[in-house]
């Protein structure tokens, strides 16, 4: 094998090793994300409610969204459950982005745990991001925070769950992440551990793209290695 061919084979081998190695970890992460979602879908049934008014019924609970206009186009927003305040008022700059005025800040629904046969109403509250209302600055998505309120039969809060972009990796918050994603309060696509599922091109299914990368890397390694170690061909004559 001449020097140029040997160099090309080494480049191919090294590139294949790099491609296979860097693709294996995302493949495992992606499959772990799928495993988590599959387990949640098997155990829980989630029904979301999109209110069309500031006063509505959420599975026998009376919900009131109280909005008070303040200054500079800001509004003070609070949720009442059976006339009891759920949280301190939030100062928001609301935009008419959908039929639901509080989209991305508030989510409502019911979750049924098939394993325990318990149904609970839930309310998702996303806290405003730093600089979210400043048009000249980009919001820091790494600082996203939510509260999830699970309501008992009388409308009292049986559990309040706090989730941010760091503690979401803990198994105990996986259901909470699912509720955030289904409620429309997540702003951008997110995952249970990482966002690898949503950071890949949409023209090809992420799992397919990652598997192709791994297979391509292995083929490059095999072909490059063969080119390096194959015996020299004898010249006729």
């Amino acid at each position: 094998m001449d020097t140029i061919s040997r160099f090309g084979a080494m480049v191919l081998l090294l590139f294949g090793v790099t491609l296979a190695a860097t693709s294996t970890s995302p493949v495992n992460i992606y499959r772990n994300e799928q495993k988590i979602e599959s387990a949640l879908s098997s155990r829980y049934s989630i029904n979301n409610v999109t209110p069309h008014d500031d006063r509505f019924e959420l599975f026998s609970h009376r919900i009131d969204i109280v909005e008070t206009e303040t200054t500079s186009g800001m509004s003070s927003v609070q949720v009442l459950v059976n006339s009891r305040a759920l949280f301190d008022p939030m100062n928001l700059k609301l935009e008419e982005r959908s039929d639901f005025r509080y989209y991305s800040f508030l989510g409502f629904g019911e979750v049924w745990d098939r394993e325990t046969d318990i149904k609970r109403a839930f309310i998702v509250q996303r806290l405003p991001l730093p600089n979210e209302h400043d048009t000249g600055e980009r919001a820091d998505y790494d600082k996203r925070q939510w509260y999830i309120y699970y309501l008992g039969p009388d409308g009292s809060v049986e559990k309040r769950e706090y989730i941010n972009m760091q503690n979401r990796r803990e198994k105990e918050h996986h259901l909470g992440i699912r509720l955030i994603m289904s409620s429309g309060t997540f702003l951008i696509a997110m995952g249970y551990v990482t966002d690898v599922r949503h950071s890949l091109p949409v023209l090809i299914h992420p799992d397919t793209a990652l598997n192709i990368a791994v297979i391509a890397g292995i083929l490059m390694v095999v072909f490059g290695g063969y080119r390096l170690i194959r015996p020299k061909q004898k010249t006729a004559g």
Side-chain angles (χ1 to χ4, degrees), residues 110-137:
E110 180 192 48
V111 56
W112 170 37
D113 186 340
R114 295 187 181 94
E115 188 174 293
T116 61
D117 197 29
I118 294 176
K119 293 183 179 181
R120 290 188 180 91
F122 68 87
I123 298 176
V124 180
Q125 173 198 17
R126 180 176 68 81
L127 303 181
L129 291 165
N131 306 320
E132 180 161 349
H133 308 302
D134 298 338
T135 56
E137 296 188 44

Side-chain angles (χ1 to χ4, degrees), residues 93-237:
K93 187 174 184 180
L94 300 171
E95 300 176 10
E96 301 294 342
R97 291 180 290 184
S98 69
D99 293 338
F100 181 45
R101 180 168 171 78
Y102 309 100
Y103 176 78
S104 87
F105 288 108
L106 296 173
F108 304 88
E110 180 192 48
V111 56
W112 170 37
D113 186 340
R114 295 187 181 94
E115 188 174 293
T116 61
D117 197 29
I118 294 176
K119 293 183 179 181
R120 290 188 180 91
F122 68 87
I123 298 176
V124 180
Q125 173 198 17
R126 180 176 68 81
L127 303 181
L129 291 165
N131 306 320
E132 180 161 349
H133 308 302
D134 298 338
T135 56
E137 296 188 44
R138 176 184 171 87
D140 187 350
Y141 291 113
D142 289 336
K143 295 181 180 179
R144 285 174 288 179
Q145 302 174 79
W146 298 264
Y147 280 108
I148 303 175
Y149 304 89
Y150 299 88
L151 306 182
D154 63 348
S156 61
V157 178
E158 288 189 340
K159 177 184 176 183
R160 186 178 77 159
E161 182 177 6
Y162 171 73
I163 296 178
N164 59 33
M165 294 302 288
Q166 288 71 46
N167 72 6
R168 64 170 170 161
R169 297 175 175 84
E170 300 171 9
K171 184 177 181 180
E172 63 186 84
H173 295 308
H174 287 169
L175 173 60
I177 292 295
R178 187 73 185 90
L179 297 181
I180 289 170
M181 290 191 286
S182 68
S183 68
T185 59
F186 54 94
L187 288 181
I188 62 173
M190 62 187 294
Y192 300 97
V193 180
T194 72
D195 304 324
V196 65
R197 293 186 306 165
H198 312 289
S199 59
L200 296 169
V202 295
L203 296 178
I204 303 178
H205 193 275
D207 196 20
T208 302
L210 290 169
N211 284 323
I212 288 174
V214 172
I215 293 171
I218 293 173
L219 290 176
M220 289 179 187
V221 170
V222 171
F223 185 73
Y226 171 76
R227 293 278 296 175
L228 283 174
I229 66 175
R230 70 175 181 172
K232 295 181 179 179
Q233 295 181 350
K234 294 182 180 180
T235 305

